[in-house]
Amino acid sequence: MRLWMLLATVALPAFVAAAPLDTFEARVHLVEKTPHGESEGPLHYIVVGDKARLEWRRPQPQPNGQRVPTQHVSVADGTRVQKLLRLEHPTGPSYMGMESREPGDRSLWPYEVLPLSLHFRGKTAPPRVATLERARPTGGRASVNGTACVEYAHAGRADGYRTTFLVDPAAGSAIRQVRQWQGERLVTQTTIDYRPWEGFGPVPARWTRRHWNANGTEINTLTAELRELRRDPAVDAATFALTFPEGTPVSGLERDTMHVAQADGTLVPKVEEPVAAPPWITRQLVQDVALGTVVLAVLVGLVWWVRHRLRASARVA
């Protein structure tokens, strides 16, 4: 046990020092399986310093058996994170948006490309993101696809979630598996395979993410394969800009408050429309009910008075 931990501790700094890379472009092929079916399509990921853009397109299977072409775009420019989901329905597109201006937002690290983010951007992660550099050895050991690994753990969050890493000390402390837990329940597990890439050395080339619900049922399996990887991508100002289409509902700016995108790109709080009364509730009906209530109250009072008088007369007799 001590030998394994010593190897991991010694190897970790060398691996981390070689990994951080703040400017790169990756193209990945995704295959996702859910209870409703399977979908696949390309993903494009660009990182330049504290800016990042992720985009994927694929048909999403629905509970009714239909497949809805879906586009997802995430953009981070160092001050905010924006996400836009576009669904192509037969009647036309619909949109959903999210925007966060919280420093160090975890959304900078989308789960589809988590192995690439951990491998290349470990030291530039927002403070709240679980990375191997911020983890500590637990003394645990496990095997991942026949490879002996040691366990590191990141401090748990206030909501009970925590992250563990299974690290291969014989391969420069490469992360072979990332697990997220809620208490003692395993929520997600990402298993990573590496291969040499020209100009980069060993990199995450294929990974599989499994997701379980509270009942322990697997509800999602995402398999990703790296197709292209290069440094210094060509970008312009539009690469990290995202404008929500007019009318898009946007969450995330304020707790429990939805915003709506305007034609000029600004976001304003959504005003809830007053609930209209059902058509059968008319003014005459309201008046009739009110009058009936008054008449009923008078009758109840009269009955009580008569009964009170009769009781009084019986006592006198």
mmCIF file of all heavy atoms in Angstrom, residues 78-102:
data_model
loop_
_atom_site.group_PDB
_atom_site.id
_atom_site.type_symbol
_atom_site.label_atom_id
_atom_site.label_comp_id
_atom_site.label_asym_id
_atom_site.label_seq_id
_atom_site.Cartn_x
_atom_site.Cartn_y
_atom_site.Cartn_z
ATOM 1 N N GLY A 78 -14.934 34.216 -19.923
ATOM 2 C CA GLY A 78 -14.176 34.687 -18.778
ATOM 3 C C GLY A 78 -14.996 35.447 -17.763
ATOM 4 O O GLY A 78 -14.604 35.579 -16.604
ATOM 5 N N THR A 79 -16.134 35.986 -18.183
ATOM 6 C CA THR A 79 -17.003 36.724 -17.264
ATOM 7 C C THR A 79 -18.362 36.067 -17.087
ATOM 8 O O THR A 79 -19.056 36.336 -16.116
ATOM 9 C CB THR A 79 -17.224 38.157 -17.760
ATOM 10 O OG1 THR A 79 -17.878 38.122 -19.042
ATOM 11 C CG2 THR A 79 -15.894 38.886 -17.894
ATOM 12 N N ARG A 80 -18.751 35.222 -18.033
ATOM 13 C CA ARG A 80 -20.051 34.565 -17.941
ATOM 14 C C ARG A 80 -20.028 33.281 -18.756
ATOM 15 O O ARG A 80 -19.162 33.064 -19.604
ATOM 16 C CB ARG A 80 -21.162 35.478 -18.448
ATOM 17 C CG ARG A 80 -21.023 35.860 -19.920
ATOM 18 C CD ARG A 80 -22.119 36.794 -20.372
ATOM 19 N NE ARG A 80 -21.936 37.209 -21.758
ATOM 20 C CZ ARG A 80 -22.778 38.000 -22.423
ATOM 21 N NH1 ARG A 80 -23.853 38.469 -21.818
ATOM 22 N NH2 ARG A 80 -22.540 38.326 -23.680
ATOM 23 N N VAL A 81 -21.000 32.443 -18.478
ATOM 24 C CA VAL A 81 -21.197 31.199 -19.222
ATOM 25 C C VAL A 81 -22.612 31.226 -19.793
ATOM 26 O O VAL A 81 -23.576 31.529 -19.081
ATOM 27 C CB VAL A 81 -21.025 29.962 -18.313
ATOM 28 C CG1 VAL A 81 -21.301 28.686 -19.101
ATOM 29 C CG2 VAL A 81 -19.609 29.918 -17.739
ATOM 30 N N GLN A 82 -22.746 30.929 -21.084
ATOM 31 C CA GLN A 82 -24.053 30.889 -21.739
ATOM 32 C C GLN A 82 -24.252 29.543 -22.406
ATOM 33 O O GLN A 82 -23.299 28.944 -22.924
ATOM 34 C CB GLN A 82 -24.164 31.991 -22.801
ATOM 35 C CG GLN A 82 -24.073 33.402 -22.265
ATOM 36 C CD GLN A 82 -24.012 34.410 -23.395
ATOM 37 O OE1 GLN A 82 -23.026 34.492 -24.127
ATOM 38 N NE2 GLN A 82 -25.078 35.182 -23.549
ATOM 39 N N LYS A 83 -25.489 29.088 -22.393
ATOM 40 C CA LYS A 83 -25.834 27.841 -23.072
ATOM 41 C C LYS A 83 -27.132 28.047 -23.844
ATOM 42 O O LYS A 83 -28.052 28.721 -23.366
ATOM 43 C CB LYS A 83 -26.019 26.697 -22.073
ATOM 44 C CG LYS A 83 -24.749 26.310 -21.343
ATOM 45 C CD LYS A 83 -24.974 25.076 -20.462
ATOM 46 C CE LYS A 83 -23.692 24.648 -19.786
ATOM 47 N NZ LYS A 83 -23.855 23.399 -18.999
ATOM 48 N N LEU A 84 -27.181 27.447 -25.019
ATOM 49 C CA LEU A 84 -28.377 27.530 -25.858
ATOM 50 C C LEU A 84 -28.680 26.148 -26.415
ATOM 51 O O LEU A 84 -27.800 25.494 -26.983
ATOM 52 C CB LEU A 84 -28.180 28.520 -27.002
ATOM 53 C CG LEU A 84 -29.335 28.626 -28.013
ATOM 54 C CD1 LEU A 84 -30.591 29.162 -27.327
ATOM 55 C CD2 LEU A 84 -28.944 29.506 -29.195
ATOM 56 N N LEU A 85 -29.915 25.730 -26.258
ATOM 57 C CA LEU A 85 -30.381 24.458 -26.801
ATOM 58 C C LEU A 85 -31.446 24.761 -27.848
ATOM 59 O O LEU A 85 -32.428 25.452 -27.559
ATOM 60 C CB LEU A 85 -30.961 23.581 -25.687
ATOM 61 C CG LEU A 85 -31.189 22.109 -26.017
ATOM 62 C CD1 LEU A 85 -29.849 21.406 -26.236
ATOM 63 C CD2 LEU A 85 -31.954 21.424 -24.887
ATOM 64 N N ARG A 86 -31.250 24.240 -29.070
ATOM 65 C CA ARG A 86 -32.200 24.447 -30.164
ATOM 66 C C ARG A 86 -32.741 23.085 -30.585
ATOM 67 O O ARG A 86 -31.980 22.175 -30.915
ATOM 68 C CB ARG A 86 -31.516 25.121 -31.353
ATOM 69 C CG ARG A 86 -32.400 25.246 -32.599
ATOM 70 C CD ARG A 86 -31.593 25.728 -33.788
ATOM 71 N NE ARG A 86 -32.368 25.683 -35.021
ATOM 72 C CZ ARG A 86 -32.819 26.753 -35.661
ATOM 73 N NH1 ARG A 86 -32.552 27.958 -35.202
ATOM 74 N NH2 ARG A 86 -33.505 26.615 -36.789
ATOM 75 N N LEU A 87 -34.062 22.949 -30.585
ATOM 76 C CA LEU A 87 -34.730 21.721 -30.981
ATOM 77 C C LEU A 87 -35.561 21.987 -32.231
ATOM 78 O O LEU A 87 -36.351 22.934 -32.263
ATOM 79 C CB LEU A 87 -35.626 21.179 -29.866
ATOM 80 C CG LEU A 87 -34.920 20.729 -28.580
ATOM 81 C CD1 LEU A 87 -34.769 21.894 -27.609
ATOM 82 C CD2 LEU A 87 -35.693 19.605 -27.913
ATOM 83 N N GLU A 88 -35.351 21.163 -33.237
ATOM 84 C CA GLU A 88 -36.056 21.336 -34.517
ATOM 85 C C GLU A 88 -37.295 20.453 -34.545
ATOM 86 O O GLU A 88 -37.209 19.244 -34.744
ATOM 87 C CB GLU A 88 -35.133 20.980 -35.681
ATOM 88 C CG GLU A 88 -33.984 21.953 -35.886
ATOM 89 C CD GLU A 88 -34.456 23.276 -36.470
ATOM 90 O OE1 GLU A 88 -35.640 23.372 -36.853
ATOM 91 O OE2 GLU A 88 -33.641 24.208 -36.529
ATOM 92 N N HIS A 89 -38.466 21.072 -34.353
ATOM 93 C CA HIS A 89 -39.728 20.352 -34.409
ATOM 94 C C HIS A 89 -40.338 20.505 -35.807
ATOM 95 O O HIS A 89 -39.981 21.429 -36.553
ATOM 96 C CB HIS A 89 -40.697 20.908 -33.359
ATOM 97 C CG HIS A 89 -40.165 20.865 -31.960
ATOM 98 N ND1 HIS A 89 -40.108 19.713 -31.219
ATOM 99 C CD2 HIS A 89 -39.649 21.857 -31.173
ATOM 100 C CE1 HIS A 89 -39.607 19.977 -30.031
ATOM 101 N NE2 HIS A 89 -39.318 21.267 -29.970
ATOM 102 N N PRO A 90 -41.263 19.615 -36.183
ATOM 103 C CA PRO A 90 -41.927 19.769 -37.480
ATOM 104 C C PRO A 90 -42.605 21.113 -37.647
ATOM 105 O O PRO A 90 -42.720 21.634 -38.757
ATOM 106 C CB PRO A 90 -42.949 18.620 -37.480
ATOM 107 C CG PRO A 90 -42.359 17.594 -36.566
ATOM 108 C CD PRO A 90 -41.659 18.370 -35.497
ATOM 109 N N THR A 91 -43.042 21.709 -36.528
ATOM 110 C CA THR A 91 -43.732 23.001 -36.595
ATOM 111 C C THR A 91 -42.778 24.184 -36.508
ATOM 112 O O THR A 91 -43.205 25.329 -36.597
ATOM 113 C CB THR A 91 -44.749 23.098 -35.453
ATOM 114 O OG1 THR A 91 -44.069 22.879 -34.199
ATOM 115 C CG2 THR A 91 -45.847 22.056 -35.614
ATOM 116 N N GLY A 92 -41.475 23.904 -36.323
ATOM 117 C CA GLY A 92 -40.499 24.989 -36.216
ATOM 118 C C GLY A 92 -39.600 24.800 -34.999
ATOM 119 O O GLY A 92 -39.843 23.936 -34.157
ATOM 120 N N PRO A 93 -38.539 25.604 -34.884
ATOM 121 C CA PRO A 93 -37.590 25.426 -33.788
ATOM 122 C C PRO A 93 -38.104 25.981 -32.467
ATOM 123 O O PRO A 93 -38.913 26.911 -32.438
ATOM 124 C CB PRO A 93 -36.363 26.215 -34.270
ATOM 125 C CG PRO A 93 -36.935 27.280 -35.135
ATOM 126 C CD PRO A 93 -38.117 26.662 -35.820
ATOM 127 N N SER A 94 -37.621 25.389 -31.382
ATOM 128 C CA SER A 94 -37.837 25.939 -30.050
ATOM 129 C C SER A 94 -36.486 26.073 -29.370
ATOM 130 O O SER A 94 -35.530 25.373 -29.718
ATOM 131 C CB SER A 94 -38.771 25.044 -29.224
ATOM 132 O OG SER A 94 -38.169 23.776 -28.980
ATOM 133 N N TYR A 95 -36.399 26.987 -28.372
ATOM 134 C CA TYR A 95 -35.118 27.303 -27.756
ATOM 135 C C TYR A 95 -35.237 27.277 -26.237
ATOM 136 O O TYR A 95 -36.290 27.582 -25.669
ATOM 137 C CB TYR A 95 -34.643 28.698 -28.184
ATOM 138 C CG TYR A 95 -34.476 28.874 -29.676
ATOM 139 C CD1 TYR A 95 -35.523 29.347 -30.463
ATOM 140 C CD2 TYR A 95 -33.268 28.573 -30.300
ATOM 141 C CE1 TYR A 95 -35.371 29.528 -31.833
ATOM 142 C CE2 TYR A 95 -33.104 28.747 -31.668
ATOM 143 C CZ TYR A 95 -34.150 29.224 -32.420
ATOM 144 O OH TYR A 95 -34.007 29.394 -33.773
ATOM 145 N N MET A 96 -34.131 26.954 -25.596
ATOM 146 C CA MET A 96 -33.973 27.080 -24.153
ATOM 147 C C MET A 96 -32.568 27.601 -23.886
ATOM 148 O O MET A 96 -31.607 27.170 -24.524
ATOM 149 C CB MET A 96 -34.189 25.738 -23.449
ATOM 150 C CG MET A 96 -35.621 25.234 -23.484
ATOM 151 S SD MET A 96 -35.823 23.654 -22.618
ATOM 152 C CE MET A 96 -35.056 22.559 -23.822
ATOM 153 N N GLY A 97 -32.455 28.557 -22.962
ATOM 154 C CA GLY A 97 -31.161 29.157 -22.697
ATOM 155 C C GLY A 97 -30.801 29.159 -21.227
ATOM 156 O O GLY A 97 -31.649 28.969 -20.352
ATOM 157 N N MET A 98 -29.511 29.371 -20.946
ATOM 158 C CA MET A 98 -29.003 29.501 -19.588
ATOM 159 C C MET A 98 -27.853 30.486 -19.610
ATOM 160 O O MET A 98 -27.058 30.488 -20.546
ATOM 161 C CB MET A 98 -28.536 28.151 -19.049
ATOM 162 C CG MET A 98 -28.168 28.167 -17.540
ATOM 163 S SD MET A 98 -26.552 28.868 -17.142
ATOM 164 C CE MET A 98 -25.453 27.589 -17.741
ATOM 165 N N GLU A 99 -27.777 31.336 -18.614
ATOM 166 C CA GLU A 99 -26.652 32.257 -18.488
ATOM 167 C C GLU A 99 -26.285 32.399 -17.022
ATOM 168 O O GLU A 99 -27.155 32.572 -16.159
ATOM 169 C CB GLU A 99 -26.991 33.624 -19.078
ATOM 170 C CG GLU A 99 -25.834 34.616 -18.964
ATOM 171 C CD GLU A 99 -26.052 35.873 -19.781
ATOM 172 O OE1 GLU A 99 -26.663 35.785 -20.863
ATOM 173 O OE2 GLU A 99 -25.590 36.946 -19.335
ATOM 174 N N SER A 100 -24.992 32.308 -16.741
ATOM 175 C CA SER A 100 -24.488 32.457 -15.378
ATOM 176 C C SER A 100 -23.345 33.450 -15.389
ATOM 177 O O SER A 100 -22.447 33.366 -16.222
ATOM 178 C CB SER A 100 -24.022 31.108 -14.819
ATOM 179 O OG SER A 100 -23.378 31.294 -13.561
ATOM 180 N N ARG A 101 -23.375 34.376 -14.456
ATOM 181 C CA ARG A 101 -22.289 35.348 -14.305
ATOM 182 C C ARG A 101 -21.557 35.131 -12.986
ATOM 183 O O ARG A 101 -20.883 36.030 -12.491
ATOM 184 C CB ARG A 101 -22.845 36.763 -14.387
ATOM 185 C CG ARG A 101 -23.485 37.045 -15.750
ATOM 186 C CD ARG A 101 -24.220 38.360 -15.789
ATOM 187 N NE ARG A 101 -24.924 38.529 -17.069
ATOM 188 C CZ ARG A 101 -25.784 39.517 -17.319
ATOM 189 N NH1 ARG A 101 -26.041 40.406 -16.391
ATOM 190 N NH2 ARG A 101 -26.391 39.581 -18.488
ATOM 191 N N GLU A 102 -21.696 33.945 -12.446
ATOM 192 C CA GLU A 102 -21.033 33.616 -11.188
ATOM 193 C C GLU A 102 -19.572 33.259 -11.453
ATOM 194 O O GLU A 102 -19.282 32.401 -12.290
ATOM 195 C CB GLU A 102 -21.738 32.436 -10.523
ATOM 196 C CG GLU A 102 -21.130 32.025 -9.195
ATOM 197 C CD GLU A 102 -21.848 30.829 -8.602
ATOM 198 O OE1 GLU A 102 -22.864 30.394 -9.178
ATOM 199 O OE2 GLU A 102 -21.385 30.336 -7.570
#
